[in-house]
Amino acid sequence: MRILITGGAGFIGSHLCDRLLADGHTVIAMDNLITGNTDNIAHLAGHPRFSFILQDVTNYIYLEGALDAVLHFASPASPVDYLSYPIQTLKVGALGTHKALGLAKAKNARFLLASTSEVYGDPLVHPQVEDYWGNVNPIGPRGVYDEAKRFAEAMTMAYQRYHSLETRIVRIFNTYGPRMRINDGRVVPNFIFQALHGQPLTVYGDGGQTRSFCYVSDLVEGLVRLLHSEEPEPVNIGNPTEMTILQFAEAINRLTGNQAGIIHEPLPVDDPKQRRPDISKARRVLAGWSPAVPLEQGLAATVADFSKRLGLA
Ligand code: UDP
């Protein structure tokens, strides 16, 4: 297949490039590099089936030749980034999704939308199942991401229903692994950076809020299966092992031998109190897919990657 990945120089996008090239496909990565980085794809330079296009996908996308799939992964994805780039976040979820869908339609290509657990907002149903409609504050600081992704899902379903486009929607839950931007402000990079520098970990609020962390290779396996599946409606992909942020901080300090403990900082506005994917649907429609990498193993690989990039290894 010849596949376009928007956001291809990002954390998840670049891992997808690697996987799809390894599967024998031809991959075009497109990115405007506001939160992506060419370091993530530098090892692919010169690969005969890989190319990179520097472009903001909120503008018209012109691409020569046939295309079999469009994977729309371009977007800022960290709460700190939505605060820095609120308009770009809204634009890439809305206008960027429209452009990517238009390209898929013109090429008669299959379309995969990277959606998010944020469509559930601060969820009142736990764990989150795909038919829960969510509890989102449209005008809060996270609304720029949540509402853009909700719009993106609506737009994708409209192209499926009105234009008969083959579309897939994944709702990605918290994912971590090598290549996460060190200063992206999310909990995994923050805690690992702090631990590697012998600093106390900054737990926001009392740390009783929960998350469930999925290692990137498990996510990518699910994404590839979804792309090739026949499931037209959204599918959650994530790891259902839920823990409090306090427990997560303790795990990072234990793993890195950091003696500096934790400190508490204010909880961000609209921070979801609990999050865990119900992955029954994914198991059913993705040929028995389920996450395989335990947290300790995934964190060890992530810490090793951060140490190397920080020049500490
Ligand atoms: N968090 C924290 N300390 C940090 C960064 C984040 O306690 O230095 C918390 C944050 O308040 C949230 C959870 O960790 O409850 C996950 O935050 P993240 O920014 O990774 O993404 P989210 O899951 O909220 O989209």
Side-chain angles (χ1 to χ4, degrees), residues 97-134:
T97 302
H98 184 222
K99 298 290 181 289
L101 278 164
L103 178 71
K105 176 170 160 271
K107 304 285 186 186
N108 199 19
R110 187 170 280 213
F111 182 82
L112 170 65
L113 172 69
S115 185
T116 169
S117 54
E118 283 282 330
V119 300
Y120 302 120
D122 189 5
L124 304 176
V125 166
H126 191 74
Q128 290 76 57
V129 279
E130 287 86 350
D131 53 13
Y132 174 50
W133 294 348

PDB file of all heavy atoms in Angstrom, residues 97-134:
ATOM      1  N   THR A  97      -8.683  17.756   9.281  1.00  0.00           N
ATOM      2  CA  THR A  97      -9.437  16.512   9.053  1.00  0.00           C
ATOM      3  C   THR A  97     -10.214  16.613   7.745  1.00  0.00           C
ATOM      4  O   THR A  97     -10.285  15.646   6.971  1.00  0.00           O
ATOM      5  CB  THR A  97     -10.383  16.237  10.240  1.00  0.00           C
ATOM      6  OG1 THR A  97      -9.598  16.166  11.431  1.00  0.00           O
ATOM      7  CG2 THR A  97     -11.146  14.935  10.052  1.00  0.00           C
ATOM      8  N   HIS A  98     -10.784  17.798   7.479  1.00  0.00           N
ATOM      9  CA  HIS A  98     -11.523  17.984   6.234  1.00  0.00           C
ATOM     10  C   HIS A  98     -10.611  17.805   5.023  1.00  0.00           C
ATOM     11  O   HIS A  98     -10.954  17.120   4.046  1.00  0.00           O
ATOM     12  CB  HIS A  98     -12.176  19.379   6.235  1.00  0.00           C
ATOM     13  CG  HIS A  98     -13.036  19.622   5.037  1.00  0.00           C
ATOM     14  ND1 HIS A  98     -13.044  20.814   4.364  1.00  0.00           N
ATOM     15  CD2 HIS A  98     -13.900  18.804   4.378  1.00  0.00           C
ATOM     16  CE1 HIS A  98     -13.883  20.718   3.352  1.00  0.00           C
ATOM     17  NE2 HIS A  98     -14.416  19.524   3.339  1.00  0.00           N
ATOM     18  N   LYS A  99      -9.402  18.405   5.091  1.00  0.00           N
ATOM     19  CA  LYS A  99      -8.452  18.281   3.975  1.00  0.00           C
ATOM     20  C   LYS A  99      -8.015  16.827   3.792  1.00  0.00           C
ATOM     21  O   LYS A  99      -7.932  16.320   2.664  1.00  0.00           O
ATOM     22  CB  LYS A  99      -7.208  19.144   4.221  1.00  0.00           C
ATOM     23  CG  LYS A  99      -7.485  20.634   4.317  1.00  0.00           C
ATOM     24  CD  LYS A  99      -7.880  21.215   2.960  1.00  0.00           C
ATOM     25  CE  LYS A  99      -8.130  22.711   3.035  1.00  0.00           C
ATOM     26  NZ  LYS A  99      -9.380  23.045   3.780  1.00  0.00           N
ATOM     27  N   ALA A 100      -7.730  16.164   4.898  1.00  0.00           N
ATOM     28  CA  ALA A 100      -7.263  14.770   4.820  1.00  0.00           C
ATOM     29  C   ALA A 100      -8.378  13.861   4.289  1.00  0.00           C
ATOM     30  O   ALA A 100      -8.120  12.940   3.496  1.00  0.00           O
ATOM     31  CB  ALA A 100      -6.778  14.306   6.197  1.00  0.00           C
ATOM     32  N   LEU A 101      -9.615  14.127   4.702  1.00  0.00           N
ATOM     33  CA  LEU A 101     -10.750  13.348   4.178  1.00  0.00           C
ATOM     34  C   LEU A 101     -10.945  13.621   2.688  1.00  0.00           C
ATOM     35  O   LEU A 101     -11.235  12.695   1.912  1.00  0.00           O
ATOM     36  CB  LEU A 101     -12.026  13.714   4.944  1.00  0.00           C
ATOM     37  CG  LEU A 101     -12.229  13.026   6.293  1.00  0.00           C
ATOM     38  CD1 LEU A 101     -13.293  13.762   7.114  1.00  0.00           C
ATOM     39  CD2 LEU A 101     -12.621  11.557   6.119  1.00  0.00           C
ATOM     40  N   GLY A 102     -10.792  14.889   2.308  1.00  0.00           N
ATOM     41  CA  GLY A 102     -10.959  15.248   0.901  1.00  0.00           C
ATOM     42  C   GLY A 102      -9.934  14.533   0.033  1.00  0.00           C
ATOM     43  O   GLY A 102     -10.253  14.041  -1.059  1.00  0.00           O
ATOM     44  N   LEU A 103      -8.699  14.463   0.540  1.00  0.00           N
ATOM     45  CA  LEU A 103      -7.644  13.755  -0.192  1.00  0.00           C
ATOM     46  C   LEU A 103      -7.995  12.262  -0.304  1.00  0.00           C
ATOM     47  O   LEU A 103      -7.887  11.668  -1.384  1.00  0.00           O
ATOM     48  CB  LEU A 103      -6.295  13.941   0.527  1.00  0.00           C
ATOM     49  CG  LEU A 103      -5.124  13.208  -0.103  1.00  0.00           C
ATOM     50  CD1 LEU A 103      -4.718  13.850  -1.426  1.00  0.00           C
ATOM     51  CD2 LEU A 103      -3.919  13.187   0.856  1.00  0.00           C
ATOM     52  N   ALA A 104      -8.425  11.675   0.807  1.00  0.00           N
ATOM     53  CA  ALA A 104      -8.774  10.243   0.799  1.00  0.00           C
ATOM     54  C   ALA A 104      -9.894   9.982  -0.214  1.00  0.00           C
ATOM     55  O   ALA A 104      -9.858   9.002  -0.967  1.00  0.00           O
ATOM     56  CB  ALA A 104      -9.200   9.799   2.200  1.00  0.00           C
ATOM     57  N   LYS A 105     -10.855  10.876  -0.255  1.00  0.00           N
ATOM     58  CA  LYS A 105     -11.977  10.721  -1.194  1.00  0.00           C
ATOM     59  C   LYS A 105     -11.479  10.828  -2.641  1.00  0.00           C
ATOM     60  O   LYS A 105     -11.830  10.004  -3.492  1.00  0.00           O
ATOM     61  CB  LYS A 105     -13.021  11.799  -0.902  1.00  0.00           C
ATOM     62  CG  LYS A 105     -14.185  11.820  -1.862  1.00  0.00           C
ATOM     63  CD  LYS A 105     -15.262  12.767  -1.329  1.00  0.00           C
ATOM     64  CE  LYS A 105     -16.211  13.206  -2.422  1.00  0.00           C
ATOM     65  NZ  LYS A 105     -15.745  14.423  -3.127  1.00  0.00           N
ATOM     66  N   ALA A 106     -10.631  11.817  -2.907  1.00  0.00           N
ATOM     67  CA  ALA A 106     -10.120  12.015  -4.268  1.00  0.00           C
ATOM     68  C   ALA A 106      -9.312  10.808  -4.742  1.00  0.00           C
ATOM     69  O   ALA A 106      -9.307  10.477  -5.926  1.00  0.00           O
ATOM     70  CB  ALA A 106      -9.254  13.275  -4.317  1.00  0.00           C
ATOM     71  N   LYS A 107      -8.614  10.160  -3.803  1.00  0.00           N
ATOM     72  CA  LYS A 107      -7.754   9.020  -4.160  1.00  0.00           C
ATOM     73  C   LYS A 107      -8.463   7.684  -3.967  1.00  0.00           C
ATOM     74  O   LYS A 107      -7.851   6.633  -4.147  1.00  0.00           O
ATOM     75  CB  LYS A 107      -6.486   9.028  -3.298  1.00  0.00           C
ATOM     76  CG  LYS A 107      -5.669  10.310  -3.354  1.00  0.00           C
ATOM     77  CD  LYS A 107      -4.893  10.414  -4.655  1.00  0.00           C
ATOM     78  CE  LYS A 107      -3.963  11.624  -4.622  1.00  0.00           C
ATOM     79  NZ  LYS A 107      -3.292  11.838  -5.907  1.00  0.00           N
ATOM     80  N   ASN A 108      -9.693   7.736  -3.469  1.00  0.00           N
ATOM     81  CA  ASN A 108     -10.415   6.513  -3.106  1.00  0.00           C
ATOM     82  C   ASN A 108      -9.595   5.661  -2.136  1.00  0.00           C
ATOM     83  O   ASN A 108      -9.465   4.448  -2.292  1.00  0.00           O
ATOM     84  CB  ASN A 108     -10.794   5.719  -4.355  1.00  0.00           C
ATOM     85  CG  ASN A 108     -11.915   4.729  -4.073  1.00  0.00           C
ATOM     86  OD1 ASN A 108     -12.636   4.872  -3.079  1.00  0.00           O
ATOM     87  ND2 ASN A 108     -12.042   3.708  -4.913  1.00  0.00           N
ATOM     88  N   ALA A 109      -9.046   6.346  -1.136  1.00  0.00           N
ATOM     89  CA  ALA A 109      -8.177   5.681  -0.159  1.00  0.00           C
ATOM     90  C   ALA A 109      -8.942   5.452   1.151  1.00  0.00           C
ATOM     91  O   ALA A 109      -9.889   6.172   1.459  1.00  0.00           O
ATOM     92  CB  ALA A 109      -6.964   6.565   0.124  1.00  0.00           C
ATOM     93  N   ARG A 110      -8.510   4.463   1.899  1.00  0.00           N
ATOM     94  CA  ARG A 110      -9.081   4.232   3.220  1.00  0.00           C
ATOM     95  C   ARG A 110      -8.581   5.315   4.181  1.00  0.00           C
ATOM     96  O   ARG A 110      -7.426   5.753   4.071  1.00  0.00           O
ATOM     97  CB  ARG A 110      -8.668   2.838   3.692  1.00  0.00           C
ATOM     98  CG  ARG A 110      -9.321   2.410   4.965  1.00  0.00           C
ATOM     99  CD  ARG A 110      -9.041   0.938   5.231  1.00  0.00           C
ATOM    100  NE  ARG A 110      -9.918   0.070   4.449  1.00  0.00           N
ATOM    101  CZ  ARG A 110     -10.362  -1.118   4.870  1.00  0.00           C
ATOM    102  NH1 ARG A 110     -10.012  -1.577   6.061  1.00  0.00           N
ATOM    103  NH2 ARG A 110     -11.149  -1.857   4.119  1.00  0.00           N
ATOM    104  N   PHE A 111      -9.427   5.750   5.099  1.00  0.00           N
ATOM    105  CA  PHE A 111      -9.074   6.851   6.007  1.00  0.00           C
ATOM    106  C   PHE A 111      -9.121   6.366   7.451  1.00  0.00           C
ATOM    107  O   PHE A 111     -10.085   5.726   7.866  1.00  0.00           O
ATOM    108  CB  PHE A 111     -10.085   7.992   5.820  1.00  0.00           C
ATOM    109  CG  PHE A 111      -9.807   9.207   6.671  1.00  0.00           C
ATOM    110  CD1 PHE A 111      -8.883  10.160   6.272  1.00  0.00           C
ATOM    111  CD2 PHE A 111     -10.472   9.384   7.877  1.00  0.00           C
ATOM    112  CE1 PHE A 111      -8.627  11.274   7.059  1.00  0.00           C
ATOM    113  CE2 PHE A 111     -10.220  10.504   8.670  1.00  0.00           C
ATOM    114  CZ  PHE A 111      -9.290  11.446   8.255  1.00  0.00           C
ATOM    115  N   LEU A 112      -8.055   6.660   8.187  1.00  0.00           N
ATOM    116  CA  LEU A 112      -8.043   6.337   9.630  1.00  0.00           C
ATOM    117  C   LEU A 112      -7.841   7.612  10.420  1.00  0.00           C
ATOM    118  O   LEU A 112      -6.839   8.309  10.246  1.00  0.00           O
ATOM    119  CB  LEU A 112      -6.912   5.337   9.946  1.00  0.00           C
ATOM    120  CG  LEU A 112      -6.627   5.081  11.433  1.00  0.00           C
ATOM    121  CD1 LEU A 112      -7.803   4.414  12.131  1.00  0.00           C
ATOM    122  CD2 LEU A 112      -5.379   4.213  11.604  1.00  0.00           C
ATOM    123  N   LEU A 113      -8.792   7.913  11.290  1.00  0.00           N
ATOM    124  CA  LEU A 113      -8.706   9.106  12.135  1.00  0.00           C
ATOM    125  C   LEU A 113      -8.155   8.748  13.507  1.00  0.00           C
ATOM    126  O   LEU A 113      -8.688   7.859  14.184  1.00  0.00           O
ATOM    127  CB  LEU A 113     -10.102   9.723  12.322  1.00  0.00           C
ATOM    128  CG  LEU A 113     -10.163  10.882  13.344  1.00  0.00           C
ATOM    129  CD1 LEU A 113      -9.429  12.109  12.827  1.00  0.00           C
ATOM    130  CD2 LEU A 113     -11.607  11.215  13.707  1.00  0.00           C
ATOM    131  N   ALA A 114      -7.113   9.465  13.920  1.00  0.00           N
ATOM    132  CA  ALA A 114      -6.638   9.351  15.302  1.00  0.00           C
ATOM    133  C   ALA A 114      -7.517  10.241  16.164  1.00  0.00           C
ATOM    134  O   ALA A 114      -7.359  11.458  16.189  1.00  0.00           O
ATOM    135  CB  ALA A 114      -5.182   9.791  15.399  1.00  0.00           C
ATOM    136  N   SER A 115      -8.478   9.619  16.844  1.00  0.00           N
ATOM    137  CA  SER A 115      -9.267  10.360  17.815  1.00  0.00           C
ATOM    138  C   SER A 115      -8.698  10.052  19.200  1.00  0.00           C
ATOM    139  O   SER A 115      -7.565   9.559  19.316  1.00  0.00           O
ATOM    140  CB  SER A 115     -10.757  10.018  17.686  1.00  0.00           C
ATOM    141  OG  SER A 115     -11.508  10.838  18.566  1.00  0.00           O
ATOM    142  N   THR A 116      -9.456  10.325  20.232  1.00  0.00           N
ATOM    143  CA  THR A 116      -8.848  10.360  21.562  1.00  0.00           C
ATOM    144  C   THR A 116      -9.841  10.039  22.671  1.00  0.00           C
ATOM    145  O   THR A 116     -11.051  10.288  22.520  1.00  0.00           O
ATOM    146  CB  THR A 116      -8.278  11.774  21.812  1.00  0.00           C
ATOM    147  OG1 THR A 116      -7.925  11.904  23.181  1.00  0.00           O
ATOM    148  CG2 THR A 116      -9.290  12.859  21.481  1.00  0.00           C
ATOM    149  N   SER A 117      -9.338   9.564  23.771  1.00  0.00           N
ATOM    150  CA  SER A 117     -10.161   9.380  24.975  1.00  0.00           C
ATOM    151  C   SER A 117     -10.703  10.716  25.468  1.00  0.00           C
ATOM    152  O   SER A 117     -11.652  10.743  26.253  1.00  0.00           O
ATOM    153  CB  SER A 117      -9.326   8.727  26.069  1.00  0.00           C
ATOM    154  OG  SER A 117      -8.153   9.470  26.303  1.00  0.00           O
ATOM    155  N   GLU A 118     -10.100  11.829  25.032  1.00  0.00           N
ATOM    156  CA  GLU A 118     -10.594  13.158  25.435  1.00  0.00           C
ATOM    157  C   GLU A 118     -12.008  13.417  24.928  1.00  0.00           C
ATOM    158  O   GLU A 118     -12.674  14.316  25.426  1.00  0.00           O
ATOM    159  CB  GLU A 118      -9.664  14.259  24.932  1.00  0.00           C
ATOM    160  CG  GLU A 118      -8.382  14.397  25.741  1.00  0.00           C
ATOM    161  CD  GLU A 118      -8.561  15.136  27.075  1.00  0.00           C
ATOM    162  OE1 GLU A 118      -9.439  16.001  27.170  1.00  0.00           O
ATOM    163  OE2 GLU A 118      -7.825  14.811  28.000  1.00  0.00           O
ATOM    164  N   VAL A 119     -12.480  12.665  23.932  1.00  0.00           N
ATOM    165  CA  VAL A 119     -13.875  12.863  23.501  1.00  0.00           C
ATOM    166  C   VAL A 119     -14.838  12.505  24.639  1.00  0.00           C
ATOM    167  O   VAL A 119     -15.987  12.939  24.630  1.00  0.00           O
ATOM    168  CB  VAL A 119     -14.258  12.072  22.212  1.00  0.00           C
ATOM    169  CG1 VAL A 119     -13.386  12.482  21.039  1.00  0.00           C
ATOM    170  CG2 VAL A 119     -14.233  10.574  22.438  1.00  0.00           C
ATOM    171  N   TYR A 120     -14.368  11.723  25.624  1.00  0.00           N
ATOM    172  CA  TYR A 120     -15.213  11.384  26.779  1.00  0.00           C
ATOM    173  C   TYR A 120     -15.144  12.466  27.860  1.00  0.00           C
ATOM    174  O   TYR A 120     -15.880  12.400  28.839  1.00  0.00           O
ATOM    175  CB  TYR A 120     -14.793  10.038  27.374  1.00  0.00           C
ATOM    176  CG  TYR A 120     -14.855   8.877  26.389  1.00  0.00           C
ATOM    177  CD1 TYR A 120     -13.716   8.132  26.075  1.00  0.00           C
ATOM    178  CD2 TYR A 120     -16.059   8.524  25.786  1.00  0.00           C
ATOM    179  CE1 TYR A 120     -13.768   7.071  25.186  1.00  0.00           C
ATOM    180  CE2 TYR A 120     -16.114   7.453  24.885  1.00  0.00           C
ATOM    181  CZ  TYR A 120     -14.959   6.737  24.596  1.00  0.00           C
ATOM    182  OH  TYR A 120     -15.020   5.687  23.710  1.00  0.00           O
ATOM    183  N   GLY A 121     -14.241  13.441  27.701  1.00  0.00           N
ATOM    184  CA  GLY A 121     -14.123  14.534  28.669  1.00  0.00           C
ATOM    185  C   GLY A 121     -13.749  14.021  30.044  1.00  0.00           C
ATOM    186  O   GLY A 121     -12.897  13.141  30.176  1.00  0.00           O
ATOM    187  N   ASP A 122     -14.390  14.607  31.073  1.00  0.00           N
ATOM    188  CA  ASP A 122     -14.231  14.119  32.452  1.00  0.00           C
ATOM    189  C   ASP A 122     -15.348  13.098  32.639  1.00  0.00           C
ATOM    190  O   ASP A 122     -16.478  13.446  32.992  1.00  0.00           O
ATOM    191  CB  ASP A 122     -14.356  15.306  33.423  1.00  0.00           C
ATOM    192  CG  ASP A 122     -13.991  14.908  34.851  1.00  0.00           C
ATOM    193  OD1 ASP A 122     -13.553  13.758  35.070  1.00  0.00           O
ATOM    194  OD2 ASP A 122     -14.161  15.744  35.752  1.00  0.00           O
ATOM    195  N   PRO A 123     -15.078  11.821  32.373  1.00  0.00           N
ATOM    196  CA  PRO A 123     -16.163  10.865  32.118  1.00  0.00           C
ATOM    197  C   PRO A 123     -16.988  10.504  33.349  1.00  0.00           C
ATOM    198  O   PRO A 123     -16.453  10.301  34.431  1.00  0.00           O
ATOM    199  CB  PRO A 123     -15.408   9.636  31.586  1.00  0.00           C
ATOM    200  CG  PRO A 123     -14.027   9.751  32.113  1.00  0.00           C
ATOM    201  CD  PRO A 123     -13.740  11.212  32.256  1.00  0.00           C
ATOM    202  N   LEU A 124     -18.284  10.409  33.133  1.00  0.00           N
ATOM    203  CA  LEU A 124     -19.198  10.003  34.194  1.00  0.00           C
ATOM    204  C   LEU A 124     -19.495   8.508  34.104  1.00  0.00           C
ATOM    205  O   LEU A 124     -20.169   7.954  34.970  1.00  0.00           O
ATOM    206  CB  LEU A 124     -20.504  10.817  34.098  1.00  0.00           C
ATOM    207  CG  LEU A 124     -20.297  12.340  34.127  1.00  0.00           C
ATOM    208  CD1 LEU A 124     -21.609  13.084  33.922  1.00  0.00           C
ATOM    209  CD2 LEU A 124     -19.634  12.766  35.437  1.00  0.00           C
ATOM    210  N   VAL A 125     -19.025   7.870  33.055  1.00  0.00           N
ATOM    211  CA  VAL A 125     -19.164   6.422  32.899  1.00  0.00           C
ATOM    212  C   VAL A 125     -17.753   5.830  32.955  1.00  0.00           C
ATOM    213  O   VAL A 125     -16.839   6.327  32.294  1.00  0.00           O
ATOM    214  CB  VAL A 125     -19.829   6.076  31.540  1.00  0.00           C
ATOM    215  CG1 VAL A 125     -19.679   4.603  31.212  1.00  0.00           C
ATOM    216  CG2 VAL A 125     -21.294   6.483  31.549  1.00  0.00           C
ATOM    217  N   HIS A 126     -17.583   4.776  33.757  1.00  0.00           N
ATOM    218  CA  HIS A 126     -16.238   4.235  33.967  1.00  0.00           C
ATOM    219  C   HIS A 126     -16.284   2.724  34.046  1.00  0.00           C
ATOM    220  O   HIS A 126     -17.123   2.195  34.759  1.00  0.00           O
ATOM    221  CB  HIS A 126     -15.672   4.830  35.263  1.00  0.00           C
ATOM    222  CG  HIS A 126     -14.216   4.558  35.435  1.00  0.00           C
ATOM    223  ND1 HIS A 126     -13.257   5.217  34.707  1.00  0.00           N
ATOM    224  CD2 HIS A 126     -13.557   3.683  36.233  1.00  0.00           C
ATOM    225  CE1 HIS A 126     -12.053   4.755  35.074  1.00  0.00           C
ATOM    226  NE2 HIS A 126     -12.217   3.838  35.985  1.00  0.00           N
ATOM    227  N   PRO A 127     -15.399   1.994  33.365  1.00  0.00           N
ATOM    228  CA  PRO A 127     -14.482   2.456  32.333  1.00  0.00           C
ATOM    229  C   PRO A 127     -15.252   2.967  31.118  1.00  0.00           C
ATOM    230  O   PRO A 127     -16.449   2.737  30.996  1.00  0.00           O
ATOM    231  CB  PRO A 127     -13.667   1.201  32.010  1.00  0.00           C
ATOM    232  CG  PRO A 127     -14.557   0.062  32.367  1.00  0.00           C
ATOM    233  CD  PRO A 127     -15.383   0.530  33.525  1.00  0.00           C
ATOM    234  N   GLN A 128     -14.537   3.635  30.214  1.00  0.00           N
ATOM    235  CA  GLN A 128     -15.201   4.264  29.080  1.00  0.00           C
ATOM    236  C   GLN A 128     -15.461   3.250  27.961  1.00  0.00           C
ATOM    237  O   GLN A 128     -14.532   2.598  27.498  1.00  0.00           O
ATOM    238  CB  GLN A 128     -14.365   5.437  28.538  1.00  0.00           C
ATOM    239  CG  GLN A 128     -14.326   6.629  29.484  1.00  0.00           C
ATOM    240  CD  GLN A 128     -13.393   6.398  30.669  1.00  0.00           C
ATOM    241  OE1 GLN A 128     -12.225   6.123  30.490  1.00  0.00           O
ATOM    242  NE2 GLN A 128     -13.930   6.500  31.886  1.00  0.00           N
ATOM    243  N   VAL A 129     -16.728   3.165  27.580  1.00  0.00           N
ATOM    244  CA  VAL A 129     -17.124   2.321  26.442  1.00  0.00           C
ATOM    245  C   VAL A 129     -17.407   3.241  25.258  1.00  0.00           C
ATOM    246  O   VAL A 129     -17.744   4.411  25.437  1.00  0.00           O
ATOM    247  CB  VAL A 129     -18.398   1.495  26.754  1.00  0.00           C
ATOM    248  CG1 VAL A 129     -18.072   0.273  27.553  1.00  0.00           C
ATOM    249  CG2 VAL A 129     -19.446   2.345  27.461  1.00  0.00           C
ATOM    250  N   GLU A 130     -17.308   2.683  24.059  1.00  0.00           N
ATOM    251  CA  GLU A 130     -17.428   3.511  22.858  1.00  0.00           C
ATOM    252  C   GLU A 130     -18.795   4.179  22.732  1.00  0.00           C
ATOM    253  O   GLU A 130     -18.912   5.229  22.098  1.00  0.00           O
ATOM    254  CB  GLU A 130     -17.139   2.689  21.598  1.00  0.00           C
ATOM    255  CG  GLU A 130     -15.665   2.343  21.392  1.00  0.00           C
ATOM    256  CD  GLU A 130     -15.225   1.074  22.104  1.00  0.00           C
ATOM    257  OE1 GLU A 130     -16.001   0.541  22.929  1.00  0.00           O
ATOM    258  OE2 GLU A 130     -14.097   0.612  21.837  1.00  0.00           O
ATOM    259  N   ASP A 131     -19.848   3.588  23.304  1.00  0.00           N
ATOM    260  CA  ASP A 131     -21.151   4.221  23.112  1.00  0.00           C
ATOM    261  C   ASP A 131     -21.485   5.245  24.201  1.00  0.00           C
ATOM    262  O   ASP A 131     -22.602   5.761  24.255  1.00  0.00           O
ATOM    263  CB  ASP A 131     -22.272   3.187  22.908  1.00  0.00           C
ATOM    264  CG  ASP A 131     -22.308   2.154  24.003  1.00  0.00           C
ATOM    265  OD1 ASP A 131     -21.637   2.377  25.046  1.00  0.00           O
ATOM    266  OD2 ASP A 131     -23.006   1.137  23.841  1.00  0.00           O
ATOM    267  N   TYR A 132     -20.507   5.568  25.054  1.00  0.00           N
ATOM    268  CA  TYR A 132     -20.665   6.696  25.990  1.00  0.00           C
ATOM    269  C   TYR A 132     -20.371   7.994  25.238  1.00  0.00           C
ATOM    270  O   TYR A 132     -19.373   8.090  24.536  1.00  0.00           O
ATOM    271  CB  TYR A 132     -19.718   6.519  27.181  1.00  0.00           C
ATOM    272  CG  TYR A 132     -19.724   7.709  28.122  1.00  0.00           C
ATOM    273  CD1 TYR A 132     -20.922   8.239  28.599  1.00  0.00           C
ATOM    274  CD2 TYR A 132     -18.536   8.306  28.509  1.00  0.00           C
ATOM    275  CE1 TYR A 132     -20.933   9.332  29.442  1.00  0.00           C
ATOM    276  CE2 TYR A 132     -18.532   9.403  29.366  1.00  0.00           C
ATOM    277  CZ  TYR A 132     -19.746   9.915  29.819  1.00  0.00           C
ATOM    278  OH  TYR A 132     -19.745  11.007  30.651  1.00  0.00           O
ATOM    279  N   TRP A 133     -21.269   8.999  25.384  1.00  0.00           N
ATOM    280  CA  TRP A 133     -21.137  10.227  24.590  1.00  0.00           C
ATOM    281  C   TRP A 133     -20.270  11.290  25.230  1.00  0.00           C
ATOM    282  O   TRP A 133     -19.982  12.322  24.615  1.00  0.00           O
ATOM    283  CB  TRP A 133     -22.523  10.811  24.272  1.00  0.00           C
ATOM    284  CG  TRP A 133     -23.331   9.930  23.377  1.00  0.00           C
ATOM    285  CD1 TRP A 133     -22.876   8.851  22.674  1.00  0.00           C
ATOM    286  CD2 TRP A 133     -24.717  10.041  23.081  1.00  0.00           C
ATOM    287  NE1 TRP A 133     -23.894   8.275  21.966  1.00  0.00           N
ATOM    288  CE2 TRP A 133     -25.039   9.002  22.196  1.00  0.00           C
ATOM    289  CE3 TRP A 133     -25.726  10.927  23.474  1.00  0.00           C
ATOM    290  CZ2 TRP A 133     -26.316   8.806  21.697  1.00  0.00           C
ATOM    291  CZ3 TRP A 133     -27.005  10.747  22.981  1.00  0.00           C
ATOM    292  CH2 TRP A 133     -27.301   9.682  22.100  1.00  0.00           C
ATOM    293  N   GLY A 134     -19.898  11.094  26.482  1.00  0.00           N
ATOM    294  CA  GLY A 134     -18.909  11.990  27.061  1.00  0.00           C
ATOM    295  C   GLY A 134     -19.457  13.145  27.864  1.00  0.00           C
ATOM    296  O   GLY A 134     -20.649  13.445  27.863  1.00  0.00           O
TER     297      GLY A 134
END
